[in-house]
Amino acid sequence: MKPPRFERQEAHFLTIEETAAVLAAARTSRLWALFAVIAATGLRNGEATGLRWTDVGFRTGAVTVRSTLNRVNGELVITTPKTQTSRRVLNPAPGVMEILRQQRRNQEIDRKRAANLWTEHNLVFASETGAPLDPRNVLRTFKTAAAKAGLPRATVHTLRHSAATTLLERGANLKAVSEMLGHAGIQITANTYAHVTSEAHRRAMNDLGDALGLYGPV
């Protein structure tokens, strides 16, 4: 018997202007840094909320993805990524590293304010008392900002898709984007972002024609 074919749906994404509008709407939220980092790196929500300070190399400018926050049997636990490709090293823009530096300063304020209520988990993005962030609260906060920006369909995961789409639209290498996302292979990336890769292929073919001087009938 032939197995049923699975039709992969293309990802819903925001334009760069829409992403900026959502981040602006979330600017007063304490989760703004989380959303900004996801938007600029394409991290999964669980990867971002599971990020530890030991994964952030301020000297090297690299962020290592080696853990993810998941709900297991009703409890939030930090686990390792399921696949080798999900365990990866990112090199974010300098502005992202500055956001992380400010996040560390803000977290020190939270730590002092919480005093003996603070529980140390070494998480970059944590609650006011250091505990892991509940994904439901993260989504609720994001949806509030998205609605304020006039984009009620957007979710936290939309930021990840939007990051990949923007990179591909701007000519980023498909394999590089696939590795950034932690996909198991470029075919997954190509299928998910077919609407972008098709346009990129068209531009590439046009560029090739121009380079060869093929402007029309001779």
Side-chain angles (χ1 to χ4, degrees):
M1 294 179 62
K2 291 184 178 180
R5 295 185 62 182
F6 173 71
E7 298 295 334
R8 182 176 294 276
Q9 293 186 346
E10 294 184 7
H12 172 63
F13 66 95
L14 303 177
T15 66
I16 193 68
E17 293 80 13
E18 289 171 335
T19 298
V22 174
L23 292 179
R27 195 65 179 88
T28 57
S29 164
R30 69 183 306 278
L31 297 183
W32 174 83
L34 170 66
F35 301 145
V37 168
I38 293 175
T41 62
L43 284 172
R44 298 177 177 92
N45 186 21
E47 293 171 342
T49 53
L51 196 66
R52 294 185 171 102
W53 286 115
T54 48
D55 301 326
V56 179
F58 287 113
R59 290 186 179 181
T60 62
V63 172
T64 303
V65 182
R66 51 174 143 237
S67 58
T68 182
L69 180 66
N70 292 298
R71 191 180 298 280
V72 179
N73 297 325
E75 294 188 8
L76 295 174
V77 295
I78 302 292
T79 60
T80 57
K82 294 181 179 179
T83 64
Q84 184 62 40
T85 51
S86 292
R87 295 187 284 274
R88 60 202 188 276
V89 177
L90 303 178
N91 295 282
V96 175
M97 300 307 293
E98 184 52 44
I99 289 173
L100 291 173
R101 288 188 181 90
Q102 183 59 51
Q103 173 65 12
R104 187 164 62 173
R105 291 190 286 266
N106 291 342
Q107 194 173 90
E108 284 303 313
I109 296 174
D110 287 340
R111 187 196 309 273
K112 292 178 181 178
R113 188 175 295 156
N116 62 341
L117 295 178
W118 182 267
T119 56
E120 186 55 67
H121 294 273
N122 197 35
L123 292 170
V124 175
F125 302 106
S127 71
E128 293 92 334
T129 58
L133 292 170
D134 189 317
R136 292 170 297 194
N137 293 336
V138 173
L139 177 59
R140 189 180 301 114
T141 301
F142 183 84
K143 292 293 287 183
T144 298
K148 184 178 178 181
L151 298 161
R153 285 187 60 200
T155 67
V156 181
H157 202 63
T158 305
L159 293 179
R160 169 176 162 85
H161 290 316
S162 303
T165 299
T166 299
L167 286 173
L168 290 170
E169 285 180 338
R170 297 190 175 200
N173 179 273
L174 179 62
K175 187 174 187 300
V177 174
S178 181
E179 291 175 350
M180 181 197 80
L181 295 173
H183 282 166
I186 62 172
Q187 192 59 49
I188 295 175
T189 314
N191 289 344
T192 306
Y193 302 98
H195 59 290
V196 186
T197 53
S198 295
E199 175 61 20
H201 290 164
R202 186 190 64 79
R203 290 199 306 268
M205 297 298 285
N206 287 343
D207 290 343
L208 177 59
D210 290 343
L212 294 173
L214 303 178
Y215 302 110
V218 294

